[in-house]
Amino acid sequence: MSRSAHPAGPRHADVLPEGHYSAPPTDLNALDSKVWAETVTRDTDGVLTVGGIDVKRLAEEFGTPAYFLDEDDFRARARSWRTAFGDDADVFYAGKAFLSRAVVRWLHEEGLNLDVCSGGELATALSAGMPAERIAFHGNNKSTDEIRRAVEAGVGRIVLDSFQEIVRVAHIAQELGTRQRVQIRITVGVEAHTHEFIATAHEDQKFGIPLAGGQAAEAVRRALTLDGLELIGIHSHIGSQIFDMSGFEVAAHRVVGLLRDIRDEHGVELPEIDLGGGLGIAYTSDDDPREPHEIAKALTEIVTRECDAARLATPRISVEPGRAIVGPTAFTLYEVGTVKPLDGLRTYVSVDGGMSDNIRTALYDAEYSVALASRVSEAEPMLCRVVGKHCESGDIVVKDAFLPGDLAPGDLIAVPATGAYCRSMASNYNHVLRPPVVAVRDGEARVIVRRETEEDLLRLDVG
Ligand code: LLP
């Protein structure tokens, strides 16, 4: 197909159907620095570049679809969380957002700790040299094998999530002749303003032990009596993609209330409090995330104020950002395969990936931005839906976005802010192969997770 404008498809704001978008942007070639990784820019030919390398070269060398991760940006964000919280607090990167051995090494070098939530994440962390004492082990249903491996490795803390687990961990620690440092995860009854599936501190859900009805206090009572456990603190995680600090304020108030009750009942002041992760990032220009130093200041002030009021020494604070560190550092590069204008509706742009490399749109109705990456264009904006190649009409990558009206097969388009929960939630649906993650830095690109091959697929199929 030629690069001439398409014959159909709405172009102007006054004829647009209902959707999640506002008016078309005035300049489709402009890159909003809020949603793109730090070193992303356009070169003199208008081609998108990251870490000094243009995407045409990257596509040639690594193929599409692929995630390109700006290593300097990752390190800078990790560092800014670390510096914002200083030496009196701990930052645990939440590995579920995206984990690989390279990432573990960067975190180690930048002085962060790591939150893992499965045997697989633990194995990745340990194999890349993260010291066990800097690892926190999470999860609402850790297997006895996972617990044993974590205790044997000497992880810095296990976050207990149920009454059964209190006993299980105590038992395993005793069997191994050790005392495991633990926190208890509680649900404080906060409704975070986010998608239902990623809000986690209201009471009607599977994580944590409810503060309500005295259950959390009972969990503490039991943990304090067991020889295999050293209870070091209370944990709360209220959800994800949160912009409003008021949820953390209520959570901190309630966690500190529990610390005060524990002191009154047991004469013990627990030394740590973990407020979890969940800080939002910009997926589109409408999102306005806070900077780590603002978040650190707000959280520290809240906890200090609450502890002063309860006449408690301020405990050591920890936080667990995942998305806020890795999310903005990567984009997914796709090649356009077909362009299908539907009269009076929108134009469907099919790319060579889809819900197997980004399930978030289908799962959470997540919003993303998109840009033509292999060139600039002065063509009129056209309202598009970027869809994948899967056999599923919900296979949508970007629900509503404007792309230039001369978009054509063979063009490369890039979806920013896909560093978190995209590769880590990727699947093999339709036996589509999971894309690689390529780290780019100072003019050099290096595969950190390689592309899956058909051999990989067939190796698992042993029937
Ligand atoms: N700490 C705990 C205990 C968590 O459960 C999570 C995320 C985090 C920290 C990190 O949250 P973050 O800072 O990355 O928001 N798949 C969903 C997000 C699920 C988050 C699960 N837990 C998504 O794609 O939005």
Side-chain angles (χ1 to χ4, degrees):
M1 193 185 287
S2 79
R3 285 237 162 99
S4 61
H6 290 286
R11 302 279 153 81
H12 303 291
D14 53 346
V15 294
L16 295 176
E18 295 274 301
H20 284 241
Y21 49 85
S22 34
T26 41
D27 180 4
L28 278 182
N29 301 314
L31 301 169
D32 183 350
S33 62
K34 265 206 286 190
V35 299
W36 293 94
E38 197 60 33
T39 71
V40 171
T41 178
R42 287 193 190 270
D43 67 13
T44 45
D45 298 326
V47 183
L48 200 81
T49 71
V50 55
I53 312 186
D54 78 70
V55 294
K56 284 182 164 172
R57 218 181 99 196
L58 290 171
E60 230 162 71
E61 189 170 347
F62 302 102
T64 56
Y67 308 96
F68 292 99
L69 192 155
D70 182 339
E71 179 179 340
D72 277 335
D73 194 18
F74 183 100
R75 286 177 180 271
R77 285 173 197 274
R79 235 179 355 256
S80 69
W81 276 85
R82 181 82 204 82
T83 348
F85 279 88
D87 290 337
D88 297 331
D90 297 302
V91 180
F92 287 77
Y93 168 79
K96 66 208 82 182
F98 172 64
L99 198 64
S100 77
R101 297 207 284 194
V103 162
V104 174
R105 285 192 288 268
W106 301 340
L107 293 166
H108 189 188
E109 285 165 19
E110 301 298 342
L112 273 74
N113 303 331
L114 181 62
D115 141 12
V116 300
C117 66
S118 71
E121 288 186 358
L122 178 65
T124 306
L126 293 173
S127 79
M130 179 59 84
E133 64 273 14
R134 282 171 50 189
I135 298 176
F137 196 61
H138 269 281
N140 68 302
N141 188 18
K142 309 166 189 76
S143 70
T144 47
D145 175 59
E146 286 173 323
I147 296 170
R148 188 176 303 278
R149 282 161 60 199
V151 176
E152 264 171 356
V155 297
R157 65 176 68 160
I158 294 181
V159 183
L160 303 172
D161 198 276
S162 66
F163 281 95
Q164 286 88 354
E165 205 171 77
I166 294 174
V167 179
R168 243 172 241 160
V169 173
H171 184 74
I172 290 171
Q174 255 193 321
E175 236 177 47
L176 294 171
T178 181
R179 229 174 147 221
Q180 177 61 49
R181 288 158 61 85
V182 295
Q183 291 189 339
I184 293 177
R185 177 165 174 177
I186 66 165
T187 41
V188 293
V190 171
E191 294 268 1
H193 298 286
T194 186
H195 191 282
E196 186 194 348
F197 293 168
I198 49 180
T200 57
H202 54 293
E203 273 133 16
D204 188 5
Q205 46 98 12
K206 69 171 185 166
F207 293 108
I209 299 180
L211 190 59
Q215 289 202 53
E218 178 57 22
V220 168
R221 235 166 259 138
R222 294 195 197 173
L224 286 172
T225 59
L226 293 167
D227 287 340
L229 305 182
E230 180 189 349
L231 181 61
I232 57 165
I234 299 295
H235 181 286
S236 153
H237 170 77
I238 58 172
S240 267
Q241 187 57 5
I242 301 167
F243 293 105
D244 179 358
M245 296 301 282
S246 61
F248 288 99
E249 183 134 17
V250 180
H253 173 74
R254 297 190 181 160
V255 170
V256 172
L258 179 62
L259 293 183
R260 181 200 55 220
D261 295 349
I262 295 168
R263 187 241 357 244
D264 294 348
E265 182 178 342
H266 306 280
V268 182
E269 287 199 23
L270 297 184
E272 294 193 19
I273 164 174
D274 189 319
L275 293 172
L279 283 312
I281 62 163
Y283 285 103
T284 72
S285 299
D286 294 337
D287 296 325
D288 283 307
R290 289 175 175 234
E291 293 295 322
H293 67 89
E294 289 176 81
I295 295 161
K297 186 164 176 284
L299 291 183
T300 313
E301 274 173 14
I302 295 166
V303 174
T304 310
R305 193 184 60 224
E306 294 294 330
C307 288
D308 287 350
R311 291 194 307 282
L312 284 164
T314 305
R316 191 173 175 84
I317 300 173
S318 41
V319 286
E320 299 170 338
R323 184 189 326 258
I325 292 178
V326 70
T329 67
F331 61 84
T332 315
L333 190 67
Y334 299 103
E335 185 177 308
V336 173
T338 67
V339 178
K340 196 183 283 182
L342 297 186
D343 264 350
L345 291 170
R346 70 195 86 244
T347 296
Y348 278 79
V349 174
S350 293
V351 295
D352 47 359
M355 65 195 299
S356 53
D357 57 71
N358 186 349
I359 188 69
R360 299 194 67 260
T361 308
L363 199 54
Y364 314 121
D365 215 8
E367 287 180 37
Y368 281 92
S369 325
V370 59
L372 174 57
S374 45
R375 61 188 174 93
V376 281
S377 164
E378 297 311 321
E380 287 268 306
M382 93 182 147
L383 178 63
C384 294
R385 180 157 289 173
V386 179
V387 295
K389 60 181 284 165
H390 295 276
C391 299
E392 185 104 17
S393 48
D395 172 25
I396 297 169
V397 181
V398 187
K399 203 166 180 185
D400 297 299
F402 289 93
L403 282 164
D406 63 350
L407 191 77
D411 277 332
L412 298 174
I413 60 174
V415 175
T418 57
Y421 304 109
C422 286
R423 181 58 180 80
S424 69
M425 293 174 81
S427 77
N428 283 127
Y429 184 39
N430 298 140
H431 279 201
V432 166
L433 306 168
R434 285 177 294 180
V437 182
V438 180
V440 189
R441 186 188 204 190
D442 286 340
E444 275 178 38
R446 164 171 83 96
V447 175
I448 58 171
V449 178
R450 74 159 165 78
R451 185 183 297 285
E452 212 161 27
T453 62
E454 286 176 3
E455 271 162 32
D456 291 330
L457 280 186
L458 293 172
R459 199 173 300 139
L460 298 179
D461 186 336
V462 293

